[in-house]
């Protein structure tokens, strides 16, 4: 996954769809690597919180979506996720992580934790779990005809609970988001747009006191640990999401992909220009957005640290 493009951070900050077409030849899937933090955290979440991560309305068939993702993988990363139909039987393969699923259950020579996890899951959930582990992205299905979200495979949420969103309308899901009137009003038309056959993407970001990728609201509170502007940059993270839409052939559906990443604010790649852009956007956030994102108490210290970083101070202080 390429580094986050900080030119996407603009001021004044506004909650809006921000959709743009995916450039030709641009990948929408990121295969996991053995031992990577995305894979480690997904294994932990699926093992302990399966019901929170994998959710679907009763009777929903995820196979068209899974096959659409396997087709996309064949184009972008052939060894990441493969569907093998042979003799009326379907096998699912994730060669990069060394595991497959067939009639006899999981088999492979990769990380034993993955095999144990897959074996412990109900048979119907194993293909979805293997998909989650094969890619860094999380996934959801959005239906263009109804604007409902009938299926979610989300291990790494950004302070929202996937199990409470499944089966709900796109606008209803976004209703609690601060300053989301534009998103909510455009809910039905956005659903039709992103399931219409073209490829779309959008980027969102925030600041967090915790660098973990999985941030389900039932697990931690993520308080800011310091009120010292001289130290806050060493404990804070820039959290970003790239969201894309992959059409599901022969259906009015699209798979919504969510790639989460974090970057320490004191990382060298978070340079003066990045700090300036984030500073200006943070300074322009409404009280409602600050409260929704848990930034109200930390805003002043973050702004002081970011202002110093923007001036080229490698060790910012007030």
């Amino acid at each position: 996954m390429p580094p986050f493009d900080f030119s996407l951070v603009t001021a004044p900050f506004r909650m809006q769809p921000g959709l743009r077409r995916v450039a030709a030849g641009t990948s929408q899937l990121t295969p996991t690597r053995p031992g990577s933090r995305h894979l480690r955290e997904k294994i932990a979440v699926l093992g302990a919180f399966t019901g929170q991560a994998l959710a679907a309305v009763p009777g929903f068939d995820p196979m068209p979506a899974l096959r659409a993702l396997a087709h996309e993988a064949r184009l972008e990363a052939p060894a990441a996720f493969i569907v093998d139909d042979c003799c009326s039987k379907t096998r699912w393969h994730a060669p990069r992580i060394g595991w497959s699923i067939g009639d006899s259950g999981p088999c492979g020579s990769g990380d034993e934790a993955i095999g144990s996890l897959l074996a412990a899951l109900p048979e119907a959930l194993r293909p979805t779990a293997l998909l989650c582990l094969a890619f860094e992205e999380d996934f959801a299905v959005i239906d263009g005809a109804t604007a409902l979200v009938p299926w979610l495979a989300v291990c790494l949420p950004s302070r929202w609970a996937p199990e409470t969103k499944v089966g709900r309308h796109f606008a209803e899901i976004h209703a609690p988001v601060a300053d989301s009137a534009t998103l909510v009003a455009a809910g039905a038309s956005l659903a039709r747009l992103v399931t219409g056959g073209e490829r779309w993407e959008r980027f969102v970001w925030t600041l967090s006191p915790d660098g973990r990728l999985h941030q389900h609201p039932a697990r931690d509170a993520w308080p800011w640990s310091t009120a010292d502007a001289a130290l806050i940059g060493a404990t804070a993270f820039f959290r970003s999401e790239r969201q894309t839409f992959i059409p599901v052939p022969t259906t009015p559906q699209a798979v919504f992909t969510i790639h989460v990443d974090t970057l320490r604010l004191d990382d060298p790649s978070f340079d003066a220009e990045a700090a300036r852009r984030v500073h200006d956007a943070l300074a322009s956030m409404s009280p409602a957005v600050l409260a929704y994102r848990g930034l109200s108490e930390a805003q002043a210290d973050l702004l002081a640290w970011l202002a110093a970083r923007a001036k080229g101070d490698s060790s910012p202080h007030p």
Side-chain angles (χ1 to χ4, degrees):
M1 188 74 181
F4 184 84
D5 179 2
F6 283 96
S7 70
L8 297 168
V9 177
T10 59
F13 179 87
R14 296 288 183 266
M15 295 294 294
Q16 54 191 357
L19 288 171
R20 68 182 191 183
R21 287 180 173 82
V22 175
T26 301
S27 297
Q28 292 179 253
L29 298 173
T30 311
T32 54
R33 304 181 312 279
S36 68
R37 64 173 181 150
H38 282 80
L39 184 56
R40 290 197 310 269
E41 291 199 32
K42 285 192 172 193
I43 291 171
V45 169
L46 287 172
F49 307 103
T50 308
Q52 293 179 349
L54 307 182
V57 298
F60 179 77
D61 180 10
M63 289 304 137
L66 293 176
R67 288 181 177 274
L69 286 165
H71 174 75
E72 190 71 20
R74 187 166 72 245
L75 300 175
E76 298 184 13
F81 189 66
I82 301 168
V83 181
D84 180 12
D85 293 308
C86 180
C87 303
S88 301
K89 297 180 180 180
T90 301
R91 292 179 60 86
W92 305 85
H93 305 281
R96 285 176 182 254
I97 58 174
W99 285 95
S100 299
I101 298 171
D103 290 344
S104 59
C107 60
S109 57
D111 187 338
E112 292 183 1
I114 295 176
S116 299
L117 167 63
L118 294 171
L121 291 174
E123 184 177 353
L125 292 181
R126 289 173 183 169
T128 298
L130 187 66
L131 168 76
C132 288
L133 298 174
F135 298 105
E136 294 184 0
E137 283 78 12
D138 282 332
F139 305 99
V141 167
I142 182 168
D143 187 281
T146 63
L148 298 179
V149 177
W151 178 86
L152 288 156
V154 177
C155 300
L156 311 174
S158 297
R159 302 195 184 192
W160 58 283
E163 73 276 15
T164 68
K165 306 299 184 183
V166 69
R168 297 171 66 180
H169 191 279
F170 180 88
E172 184 184 6
I173 289 174
H174 286 86
V177 177
D179 291 358
S180 63
T182 301
L183 282 171
V184 172
S189 59
L190 281 173
R192 290 192 297 271
L193 176 67
V194 300
T195 57
E198 293 189 84
R199 306 298 181 97
W200 299 92
E201 66 180 357
R202 66 187 296 258
F203 297 84
V204 297
W205 64 272
T206 190
L207 299 174
S208 174
D210 195 304
R212 283 174 293 180
L213 300 171
H214 69 281
Q215 294 194 0
H216 190 290
R219 295 174 209 157
D220 289 289
W222 305 286
W224 291 93
S225 60
T226 179
D228 186 343
L231 300 176
I232 200 165
T235 61
F237 294 81
F238 181 86
R239 183 180 179 92
S240 62
E241 290 185 12
R242 182 199 183 205
Q243 304 170 358
T244 80
F245 299 85
I246 298 174
V248 179
T250 73
T251 75
Q253 299 173 355
V255 179
F256 177 47
T257 77
I258 310 166
H259 186 278
V260 178
D261 206 355
T262 60
L263 177 70
R264 290 180 67 106
L265 292 192
D266 62 357
D267 187 278
S269 63
F270 189 83
D271 59 17
E273 176 61 14
R276 183 191 65 78
R277 286 181 171 275
V278 174
H279 173 278
D280 293 351
L282 178 63
S284 68
M285 287 183 183
S286 71
V289 168
L290 291 170
Y292 176 76
R293 298 192 168 198
L295 294 171
S296 299
E297 65 173 307
Q299 185 193 28
D301 286 341
L302 284 167
L303 287 175
W305 192 94
L306 289 164
R309 184 77 162 199
K311 294 177 181 177
D313 188 338
S314 60
S315 300
H317 51 79

